[in-house]
Amino acid sequence: MLGTGGWELGRYIDSIKSGVDAVRADTVFAEADPLLQRIRQEAQERYQKPVNAKVDPVWKAIPGYSGLEVDIDASYSRTSSSPKGSPLQLVYREVQPEINLEDLGPYPVYRGNPNKPMAAIMINVAWGNEYLPDILNTLDEEKVKATFFLDGTWLSKNEELAKDIMNHGHEMSNHAYSHPDMSRISRAAQKQQITRTEELLRSKLSVKNRWFAPPSGAFNQTTIEVAAAEGLKTVLWTVDTVDWKKPAPEWMISKISRETGPGSLILMHPTASSRDALKGMIAAVREKGLALGTVTETLSPARFPEVEAGS
C-alpha cells in the first residue's frame, strides 16, 4: 500500500511491526488516508454496471455492453505522484458482461446494444462494381470503416477489387455464394452456399470471418444453425436504405436520420443512390452523436469510446 507520509504511514508500519495482520493494517491505513477515501467515494459514484447480452422478443440476439469502474489502486498511485493540488487522476477499466453474444445460442442479430453510441454500415456486394470506387473514396474521406458482405460468385470473379476494398481497411464477410433465397433451399445446399464463400474469404483474402448476411434477408432457423456450425453469427439489419429501388439521395438521408440509433446496422449496396447519399448519411449519423464502425466493432461489448488510463 502506498502512503503519503506523516503519522498515517507511521501508524501503518507500526501496525505491521506489532503483529496486526495485513488486512487489518490495510483497513487502519485506508480509514486514515483522506485521498484513498476520496477515490473510493468517486469509484462508488462512477461505477457503471455491465449489461448482459440477451434474447429480445423483437430484436432477437442483442449483444452485451461492458460496464465501467475506477481502478482504485492505479488511481491512488497516479494521483499520489501528481503535483500537490492536482485533481484526482482517475484510471478506469472495463467490466465485462457475464453473458455475451456467443452464449445466447443460434439467434439472428439485427442490432448492437442500445447503450453503445455506435452504428455500422454494412454493404452487401453481388453487383455494382462501377459505384465502388466512389463509395470507397467517400468512406476514406470521412474516415469510416464499413463491413462488406461479399457474394462468393462475385468474389471469385473480382478478387483484385475485393483486395482493394480490404486494403482500404474495411471488414470482409460472407453473403453466401450465388445469392439464393436461403429459406427455400435444403440444409445441405445452405451449408454449401456458406462454406464455399467462407473458403474464398480464407484462400483469396486470408480473412478470418465471424458474420453471415443472408441474401435479401431471407433465412430460416436452419440457416442460423448452419451458419453457427461454421462459427458464424447470422446478421440482418436495423435500418434498410432500400437503395435498390433507386430512391433520391435526399430521401435516403432523411430515412437514416429518422431511423438510426445506438447499435444500428445500416444496410446498403453499391448503387448510384447510395454513392450519392453516402456522405449525407454519414453526416446524419454523426449528428445524432453516434460513431461509425464495422459490424464487429458495433456488436462488440467493448465500450465506445475505448477506455483510456487517466480518462
Side-chain angles (χ1 to χ4, degrees), residues 10-286:
R11 184 179 176 188
Y12 175 69
I13 295 171
D14 289 343
S15 297
I16 297 294
K17 289 180 177 179
S18 63
V20 177
D21 65 80
V23 173
R24 183 178 170 195
D26 271 355
T27 302
V28 169
F29 181 63
E31 290 174 350
D33 189 332
L35 173 58
L36 189 56
Q37 290 178 3
R38 283 181 61 201
I39 292 173
R40 285 182 168 173
Q41 181 63 37
E42 288 289 335
Q44 281 187 332
E45 294 176 359
R46 294 171 182 255
Y47 176 74
Q48 296 182 39
K49 185 178 179 181
V51 179
N52 284 330
K54 68 176 185 178
V55 178
D56 183 83
V58 175
W59 292 107
K60 305 308 177 186
I62 296 181
Y65 191 49
S66 294
L68 192 65
E69 68 180 4
V70 172
D71 184 327
I72 294 174
D73 289 342
S75 298
Y76 185 90
S77 178
R78 177 169 289 193
T79 305
S80 297
S81 302
S82 299
K84 187 175 181 180
S86 298
L88 293 179
Q89 302 297 305
L90 298 179
V91 179
Y92 292 91
R93 61 188 174 198
E94 294 193 9
V95 183
Q96 298 297 316
E98 294 181 359
I99 302 173
N100 288 290
L101 195 60
E102 295 75 15
D103 303 320
L104 298 181
Y107 291 93
V109 182
Y110 288 85
R111 59 166 305 146
N113 192 286
N115 294 289
K116 187 168 186 173
M118 178 178 274
I121 294 175
M122 47 190 300
I123 305 174
N124 290 352
V125 182
W127 37 264
N129 291 12
E130 64 269 37
Y131 306 113
L132 280 169
D134 287 338
I135 287 172
L136 290 173
N137 287 338
T138 298
L139 293 172
D140 282 349
E141 290 168 5
E142 297 297 325
K143 296 179 171 58
V144 170
K145 303 304 179 188
T147 299
F148 285 74
F149 288 88
L150 307 182
D151 173 273
T153 303
W154 181 91
L155 175 54
S156 67
K157 298 175 182 178
N158 296 277
E159 181 180 343
E160 293 307 313
L161 182 51
K163 287 179 178 177
D164 185 44
I165 295 170
M166 189 171 67
N167 289 337
H168 281 261
H170 302 293
E171 184 174 44
M172 315 297 268
S173 288
N174 191 323
H175 193 46
Y177 187 78
S178 57
H179 215 271
D181 182 332
M182 296 290 285
S183 68
R184 294 180 177 272
I185 59 178
S186 68
R187 176 181 288 268
Q190 292 199 43
K191 180 177 180 179
Q192 186 180 48
Q193 284 286 328
I194 293 171
T195 57
R196 288 183 73 182
T197 298
E198 204 63 20
E199 173 56 31
L200 284 170
L201 288 169
R202 285 192 296 265
S203 63
K204 303 295 186 184
L205 306 180
S206 300
V207 165
K208 186 176 180 181
N209 179 42
R210 296 181 59 191
W211 315 108
F212 171 66
S216 305
F219 70 98
N220 54 23
Q221 186 61 27
T222 299
T223 312
I224 300 167
E225 293 170 0
V226 169
E230 299 301 319
L232 308 177
K233 284 287 184 183
T234 300
V235 178
L236 282 305
W237 59 83
T238 321
V239 184
D240 188 356
T241 61
V242 202
D243 53 3
W244 55 275
K245 290 186 175 181
K246 302 180 181 180
E250 295 77 17
W251 182 91
M252 292 173 62
I253 294 167
S254 178
K255 186 179 195 319
I256 294 303
S257 182
R258 288 193 315 272
E259 299 182 10
T260 300
S264 288
L265 305 178
I266 303 167
L267 175 65
M268 58 173 271
H269 304 81
T271 66
S273 293
S274 282
R275 176 200 60 190
D276 297 340
L278 184 55
K279 188 178 288 287
M281 291 194 299
I282 291 170
V285 172
R286 288 174 170 165

